[in-house]
Amino acid sequence: MKAIVNVSLKAGVLDSQGKAVHHALDSLHFNGVSDVRVGKQIILELETKDKTVAMADVTKMCEELLANTVIEDYEIELV
């Protein structure tokens, strides 16, 4: 089973990388972009076939290592 974890900064947390990308897009004349937020995606190949176990394991991974839950949110998709 594969787990896809998307991690992004919480609303209200300054995204300096997103601001830099937004500025670069403006300088390249992509004027229709009003905001940019940059995150990360982590893809895990899991041995378990049990979705409940997989979700619990990946949630624990996110809480303990993959995301800084003080300033980041995460979403988990099992495929």
Side-chain angles (χ1 to χ4, degrees):
M1 178 178 307
K2 187 179 291 188
I4 301 170
V5 179
N6 290 304
V7 181
S8 59
L9 289 171
K10 290 184 178 186
V13 175
L14 177 64
D15 185 351
S16 56
Q17 189 176 9
K19 293 292 182 198
V21 170
H22 188 239
H23 177 72
L25 290 171
D26 278 346
S27 69
L28 293 170
H29 306 292
F30 292 104
N31 301 320
V33 180
S34 61
D35 191 29
V36 176
R37 304 285 287 178
V38 175
K40 60 187 172 187
Q41 184 177 77
I42 303 158
I43 301 171
L44 305 163
E45 195 66 45
L46 306 172
E47 293 179 1
T48 185
K49 303 287 186 218
D50 185 325
K51 284 192 171 194
T52 304
V53 170
M55 186 59 79
D57 286 349
V58 175
T59 298
K60 189 170 183 181
M61 291 176 200
C62 290
E63 293 289 327
E64 293 183 13
L65 177 68
L66 301 178
N68 177 350
T69 57
V70 173
I71 61 169
E72 294 176 320
D73 289 324
Y74 60 88
E75 294 178 356
I76 301 168
E77 178 185 358
L78 298 176
V79 292

